[in-house]
Amino acid sequence: MSNEAIHDELGRVRVGLRFSGGKEVHFKIIGMHCATCSLTVQRALMSVDGVLSASVSMASDEAVVIVDLTRFEYSKALRAVQRAGYDIYRESVTLTLRSLEPEEANTVTRALCIPGVFNVVVNPVNHSVMITYNPLETSDNELRAIIESAGFRVINVAKADAGDFDVDRKAVETDLRDIRNRLIVAAPLTALIFALEALSIARLIPDALYAVLSFALATPVQFYSGMRFVRGAVRAFRNATANMDTLVALGTLSAYIFSVLVLLHVLSGEVFFDSSAAIITFILIGRYLETRLKLKVSSTMRELTRLYPRNARVIMNGVETEVPINEVRAGDLVVVKEGEVIPVDGYVDSGEGYVDESVMTGEPSPRRKGVNDLVLAGTILTRGYLRIRTTRSGEYAFIAQLIRQARQAQSLRIPIQSLVDKVASYLTWFVMGTGAATFIAWYLIGAPIYVAVLHMASVLVIACPCALGLATPISVVAGTNNALKHGILIRESRAIEISPRIKAIALDKTGTLTRGRFGVISVVGDGKALYYAAIAEKGSDHPIARAIIEKAKEVYEEIPSADSYDTIPGMGIVAQWNGLTIGVGNDRLVKGFEARASPEIEKEVRKYVSDGYTAVYVIMNNEVLGAVILGDSIRPEAPMVINELRRMGITPIMVTGDNAETANMVARKLGIDYVYAGLMPYDKANIIKELSTKFGVVAMVGDGINDAVALKTADIGIAMGAGTDIAKSAGDVVLLSNDLTSILSFIKLSRRILNNIKFNILYAFMYNAVLIPIAAGAVPSLTIRPEWAGLAMALSSITVTLNALRLRRSRV
């Protein structure tokens, strides 16, 4: 065979690899722009455990991955791609369930452990399940079907961009209506049973008649009002678990069925239909109160959703036209009148007014907004009139992102919760075993069978895994809502749990410890120098000019415009006004005017310049009037925050990319002993690692792109609200108010959340440890009837919820 024929034959050969048990998975990759990118993503995917092979195409932005499903985790693949600097396209959906007990969270998570799901966050407080998934493998309809096949009823499906942010409230209100309807039936019928019992005890009606009438009244209570517990028990049984509904259903049905058998003379003893009806009624009352309290827990979240804009008034062809918010595009001119909610993110094109940003930042005083100032959707124009040039609207607006992240924050699961959930699931089986053992023990010692049933029902009903399961999530929801009210968005659960253990806190300088922009620090020489400098600079858009004009407006009512002005590159500006020649610039401009500053002015200027500040001379008719000193001023609250951190036992440290001279000057003023200057982004991350080795738990506070890596490296990353989107996405905590005192608020509030959780868990354990033996009759001369056991169970959940509600009023 010729070489050409061999070559043709080899060209038709296809070599493939077959993996037994392997599954082909497709991902859409975001951010690739060259062949090197595709190779980087491929290497990142190959580093994930369970990935057998990976092929990435830049042309289609797609990765084809062969995985071993027994070892592969979608969340790890996502993190690997993100660490490499890229992302995987994914979608999110929130399923709202008719009912969801805390101890059922693991059941939902296990059911959704399917190919294509990156993350599942279950929130039993508002009955929601947030799922992040790969749309190339699964869909929201399939996810809904999986949940419903597990026995849960889905009442709402909301995609991440649907705009219906208030489904949490609707879910709780739906549950509240269901409980109320069942309670309307149960309460009067149970009251009648107790009235008949009193008549029977007084011998006003025969016992037989009481037994028949109480059966008739208790039956609708058991099989209508109590059906939500029976359904919950059946759902748990189908998923091979047990929960509070299981205990209530077993307790009430055992009392009811035993009483029916006594009524039919199959067994001897007393009927206690009153117990089964009262248990259901008391627990429904408890659930009703508990659910009402849950509505209060998320009050801050609902304040945000009420401010989410639905429409905007857009200027089209010179006419104001009201359109749905999703139809507003970048560049559109939107009109906002006094008292209205601003519907879009953008910059003021014309007009001025005062904007209330308190709901998002926690700052009570309205801020003045004028031309070129940034305004955000969801804030309120309390006074004035604005025309806003739109930059973002609808689902992309800041308030929409904030609501989404706040909802995710409410569903945070701190590590301790996994342990508590496991204990709560075991507790249910332990209680059922204890109930069975109680019945057998009383029966074996010769007690009447109805006594054995009575004690067994009390044991089953009095135990409350619900309070234990609710202990952590209800405190997290209340605490994160309070944090949001104070302008703090907690995005990661670990931040709450480890913040009390912070030993050192690294702070960026520019934009964090300082304002991050030029400001007037002082005026040297003639006090009118600032006024004349503002006149000359009024026509300029230079950062120094803006700082001078802003300061001058605080001092003088009106700044006149110069008659003419000329900019001299590298030197400054020369203006004519009312026959006067005004020069504003550096020492080269002074020399150009052949002017000289007095020794006093020169001495003061040199002192400021040596501290890293910028001096701008003001020259009037060839005479140096004075100088305006500018610099990146330290935030006014920074000294107090640094001192308070030190008092709390936390070491403040400065990490900055700025030069050592300027960094040390700021550090001296703030009393910071540890300074790391001249750092590149990855240098900052390495410093954070060193600090972790030296101090222990380290937090990082920053605002810029160059802080993002360090924020991720730190045990807790805290991003300033006015920082870049990259920094905010890297932060575990975002300070929306851009106020450093929020750092102290976050640490204090985290401690209170943890203390609240610990109290709830301790209370739930003590409650069960003390009352289960009493209900079983193990304490001589002390016992609890099933109906009072049901009341105690209801009160235990209410107590946990009320304790969590204290976090709403907690001042930080």
Side-chain angles (χ1 to χ4, degrees), residues 417-583:
Q417 187 173 339
S418 300
L419 176 63
V420 172
D421 288 346
K422 187 174 290 187
V423 172
S425 66
Y426 289 145
L427 176 64
T428 308
W429 294 104
F430 169 77
V431 171
M432 287 192 290
T434 303
T438 299
F439 177 84
I440 294 169
W442 280 101
Y443 183 75
L444 290 178
I445 65 174
I449 191 168
Y450 79 89
V451 173
V453 172
L454 207 66
H455 282 293
M456 178 185 73
S458 293
V459 169
L460 291 172
V461 172
I462 205 165
C464 196
C466 185
L468 191 58
L470 199 61
T472 300
I474 195 77
S475 296
V476 169
V477 170
T480 53
N481 264 268
N482 190 13
L484 193 61
K485 187 169 65 177
H486 288 87
I488 305 166
L489 176 62
I490 302 173
R491 299 178 63 244
E492 292 292 339
S493 61
R494 61 191 175 90
I496 296 174
E497 189 156 5
I498 67 176
S499 67
R501 296 188 277 121
I502 294 175
K503 295 300 180 185
I505 187 161
L507 301 107
D508 176 45
K509 182 184 76 68
T510 307
T512 301
L513 290 170
T514 65
R515 294 181 182 276
R517 57 186 173 86
F518 263 121
V520 174
I521 304 299
S522 181
V523 178
V524 176
D526 191 330
K528 293 282 283 184
L530 177 66
Y531 179 71
Y532 291 120
I535 293 172
E537 297 279 15
K538 193 173 181 182
S540 173
D541 196 39
H542 192 278
I544 288 179
R546 287 200 298 268
I548 290 173
I549 293 165
E550 184 179 322
K551 184 65 177 179
K553 283 181 177 178
E554 295 177 7
V555 181
Y556 304 100
E557 289 185 6
E558 187 177 350
I559 307 297
S561 300
D563 299 324
S564 64
Y565 66 91
D566 290 304
T567 300
I568 304 175
M571 296 174 69
I573 194 167
V574 177
Q576 302 294 325
W577 176 70
N578 276 2
L580 299 173
T581 301
I582 305 170

